Amino acid sequence: MSAIVIDNCYIATVNSIGEEHESGYIVIEDGEISAVGAGVAPEVGGVRRVDASGCIATPGFVNSHHHLYQWLTRGRAVDSTLFEWLVELYPVWAGIDEEVEYAAARAGLATLAGSGCTTVVDHHYVFPRGVGDLLDAGVRAAREVGLRFNPTRGSMDLGESEGGLPPDSVVEKLDHILAASEEAVDRYHDPSPGSMLRVALAPCSPFSVTDELMKESAELAQKKGVRLHTHLAETPDEDVFCREKFGCRPVEYLEGLGWIGPDVWLAHCVHINPDEAKRFGEIGAGVAHCPSSNGRLGAGIAPVRELLDAGAAVGLGVDGGASNERGELGPELRQALLAARYRGGPTALTVRESLAMATIHGARCLGREDEIGSIEVGKRADIALWNLEEVGFAGIVDPVAALVLGPDRPVQMLIVDGEVIVEEKQLLTADLHEVAESLKQASAKVLARSEGAKP
Ligand code: ZN
């Protein structure tokens, strides 16, 4: 039996009553949290002891929305609207293949691990033909880095010639998408408790997919017992598109397709009204809030207070590297807090709500709140330790405030499913110099392909 005892640290459990211990312990046995509490840890045999003095322990963060392949195309269209940014990037994304996808996924996942992430959603929706197995590249990278992974088989089938935004070269045929989606679930989805790998289905957005694809994906997801994800109500342009094409608002469009339900989580939801926020809460649909990406693209500020008051799960997402070059989840806690308060004033979000969004709300988005997202007995041991003794934090009286409002920092120790993957701020599962070099080469390759493809 492998066991780890972490003691002498501040613990923010993020359990249902928000319990915190000023000086406490966590016992991990066989990948599961077997004890947590205040004071001195009980005696456990065969154990590794971690003296975490000066640290705060939190649940590992859940990145509820991301596009790993976008790590290949960062720093482009930096002063553009979402639609301008997409139109510039779609043809470049047509140049990805399995090899460059693997390089991007490793870089993205390694960075996320360094910022305290233990679970990562990868919304992949660009599948050029004949370029190898893109999903497999992500799964391999996640296994190597050691993170809990939730890739999606995403899709686009509404090309420019049919009134969609993406060029026809990057969309797929409906039948092919459905067959590939079923295959992805059969091959990768592990529904067992504590699973390290779950798959969801994720048509990209109202302006890049057909109604048939949305409906059929929902039916397939139900048949296979997997969740659904998509982008929704990110910018006013999408609102105009939906009104012109469907004669309704983006949320109404999704509701009409049977897509607002307890097995769905939606990225962004910036431009939703109070009634729609309420319905999300009543129905149990989750939202992946991506404040830095929304700022980068000038999309607006999501109504997080209204969603939380309605009882909706509001996880945090980094979003893809092309709209958030930073690629870390840690800074999103502060960004979410500031964005909410810009919009709704000083009471719009508390520091502890921000931490809960990054952890238990993310777990709820994935339907995994019984397994991950808080430090409680019986849950999987996904734990981040943050060193608060450095000069940037020293003397801040509230450790949770230090974490959310203080300077950005790499995680001191990261444990995923009971395995230590970051220790003394060093990622144990990949060589970052080599990861950076291969990302550089892969990005150059994609750039050269896009230059070569220009008329
Ligand atoms: Zn996105």
Side-chain angles (χ1 to χ4, degrees):
M1 186 180 75
S2 64
I4 302 173
V5 173
I6 299 166
D7 56 9
N8 301 319
C9 61
Y10 193 97
I11 301 172
T13 67
V14 198
N15 67 11
S16 59
I17 54 167
E19 217 168 347
E20 294 177 14
H21 305 299
E22 216 154 289
S23 179
Y25 61 86
I26 303 164
V27 181
I28 298 166
E29 294 176 276
D30 288 333
E32 190 176 290
I33 298 167
S34 61
V36 53
V40 181
E43 281 305 317
V44 183
V47 72
R48 174 181 173 193
R49 278 193 176 264
V50 175
D51 179 3
S53 306
C55 290
I56 175 173
T58 67
F61 297 160
V62 177
N63 182 12
S64 57
H65 181 69
H66 202 76
H67 313 284
L68 287 166
Y69 76 93
Q70 289 185 8
W71 274 76
L72 297 160
T73 58
R74 293 181 299 152
R76 290 167 185 250
V78 292
D79 301 312
S80 304
T81 67
L82 171 69
F83 277 21
E84 289 164 356
W85 175 88
L86 283 167
V87 167
E88 179 172 332
L89 283 162
Y90 283 135
V92 186
W93 293 337
I96 61 173
D97 63 19
E98 184 175 341
E99 185 196 351
V100 298
E101 171 72 26
Y102 172 73
R106 262 199 333 157
L109 292 164
T111 303
L112 286 162
S115 73
C117 236
T118 49
T119 298
V120 175
V121 168
D122 179 28
H123 183 184
H124 194 94
Y125 57 86
V126 182
F127 290 90
R129 286 272 182 144
V131 297
D133 193 333
L134 299 177
L135 277 186
D136 194 62
V139 170
R140 275 191 285 130
R143 281 190 179 130
E144 283 173 25
V145 176
L147 295 181
R148 211 177 285 285
F149 196 42
N150 199 130
T152 72
R153 206 313 174 172
S155 49
M156 298 192 288
D157 73 334
L158 186 67
E160 228 170 348
S161 62
E162 308 280 329
L165 191 68
D168 291 357
S169 60
V170 294
V171 304
E172 300 173 276
K173 296 266 182 254
L174 175 66
D175 289 350
H176 175 76
I177 291 168
L178 294 172
S181 299
E182 185 151 16
E183 194 193 317
V185 174
D186 290 343
R187 185 154 171 211
Y188 296 114
H189 183 69
D190 172 9
S192 66
S195 164
M196 293 293 286
L197 187 60
R198 295 261 172 98
V199 175
L201 301 187
C204 185
S205 60
F207 49 83
S208 59
V209 307
T210 60
D211 320 5
E212 293 79 20
L213 176 57
M214 293 295 280
K215 282 187 204 148
E216 301 247 5
S217 295
E219 272 172 35
L220 182 59
Q222 197 163 34
K223 180 178 125 191
K224 304 299 272 184
V226 299
R227 296 176 88 77
L228 288 167
H229 181 54
T230 191
H231 293 103
L232 190 75
E234 183 172 356
T235 65
D237 286 344
E238 183 180 326
D239 214 61
V240 171
F241 181 94
C242 286
R243 282 180 194 282
E244 282 176 2
K245 194 161 168 70
F246 311 120
C248 61
R249 294 169 51 76
V251 173
E252 292 167 335
Y253 170 62
L254 245 66
E255 283 177 322
L257 297 168
W259 250 78
I260 305 289
D263 55 347
V264 178
W265 86 106
L266 304 157
H268 304 305
C269 299
V270 173
H271 299 277
I272 62 170
N273 65 33
D275 279 346
E276 290 165 346
K278 221 169 151 192
R279 295 209 290 282
F280 280 21
E282 284 162 6
I283 294 166
V287 171
H289 175 45
C290 307
S292 288
S293 172
N294 295 153
R296 158 79 154 82
L297 291 166
I301 303 173
V304 168
R305 180 74 268 154
E306 289 86 334
L307 284 161
L308 290 174
D309 286 345
V314 187
L316 289 183
V318 170
D319 206 357
S323 66
N324 182 356
E325 278 77 359
R326 188 155 195 171
E328 299 176 315
L329 193 63
E332 295 303 314
L333 278 74
R334 181 169 184 268
Q335 191 62 39
L337 182 115
L338 297 182
R341 291 185 186 179
Y342 291 144
R343 186 178 186 276
T347 58
L349 198 71
T350 70
V351 293
R352 283 166 173 80
E353 282 174 323
S354 190
L355 175 61
M357 286 164 68
T359 54
I360 193 69
H361 279 261
R364 284 175 60 196
C365 283
L366 302 181
R368 305 197 68 176
E369 64 272 29
D370 294 339
E371 303 173 84
I372 56 172
S374 61
I375 302 177
E376 294 182 81
V377 171
K379 285 202 170 182
R380 302 309 298 170
D382 289 4
I383 292 163
L385 284 179
W386 308 89
N387 187 341
L388 299 184
E389 288 206 318
E390 294 153 5
V391 66
F393 305 98
I396 298 183
V397 292
D398 176 350
V400 177
L403 184 72
V404 176
L405 299 175
D408 297 329
R409 85 302 301 166
V411 71
Q412 177 76 15
M413 177 179 265
L414 192 70
I415 300 175
V416 188
D417 213 50
E419 298 291 328
V420 177
I421 69 161
V422 174
E423 181 142 25
E424 299 288 336
K425 301 195 175 104
Q426 300 300 314
L427 182 64
L428 305 178
T429 50
D431 172 352
L432 288 182
H433 293 292
E434 190 256 314
V435 168
E437 188 52 38
S438 64
L439 176 64
K440 199 168 124 190
Q441 287 175 16
S443 302
K445 214 175 256 185
V446 172
L447 174 67
R449 282 176 192 156
S450 73
E451 294 293 325
K454 273 187 186 160

